[in-house]
Amino acid sequence: MMDYEKIKAGVQLLLEGIGEDVGREGLLETPDRIARMCQEIYGGLYEDPVVHLKKQFSVERNDMVIEKDITFYSVCEHHLLPFYGKAHIGYLPNGKVVGLSKLARTVDVFARRPQIQEKMTAQIARALEENLNPQGVIVMLEAEHTCMTMRGIKKPGSKTVTMVTTGVFQDNYELQNRFLGMVKQG
Ligand code: ZN
């Protein structure tokens, strides 16, 4: 469970640390507001993707399944600043598939934590691998990191792209290219 009092105290200290007047009207409710917001943006820490992935359907043909352009918002664990973008997921089933909305839910479980994009990409792939036992998984994330755009090297519009492949996708460039082609198609 989250400790709201600790979050509130922490936010208050941060504001005091930067020299703000925590008693002024605009900031009075801020610690409480942020504490409540944390449940929404970090609540994935208390969720297990298994919940979403355990309901499966049998299929006769193991054709590639792709769910693309899944919008996500996460928070970089190094700066606690947002990074956001699109997740694209593909897998080659092994007799079983999950509902498409469950892939988006799985992305959300991992996005709503302090994160780094590389780890998040791998976590999504592993969750599918472990719960669906497919022939292979490919996960690609494209995101803008505000810790690179509003601070640091300040390069708005730059995107970080990460990709993780498992099983048949690992060395099969034809399969990878088919996935990438489908993702890029309008
Ligand atoms: Zn960062």
Side-chain angles (χ1 to χ4, degrees), residues 74-90:
S74 190
V75 175
C76 122
E77 67 186 23
H78 298 142
H79 302 92
L80 294 188
L81 285 173
F83 68 94
Y84 55 91
K86 307 264 189 210
H88 315 290
I89 299 175

Side-chain angles (χ1 to χ4, degrees), residues 136-148:
V137 177
I138 184 163
V139 178
M140 184 179 152
L141 261 54
E142 308 175 83
E144 181 165 329
H145 290 245
T146 54
C147 65
M148 281 179 61

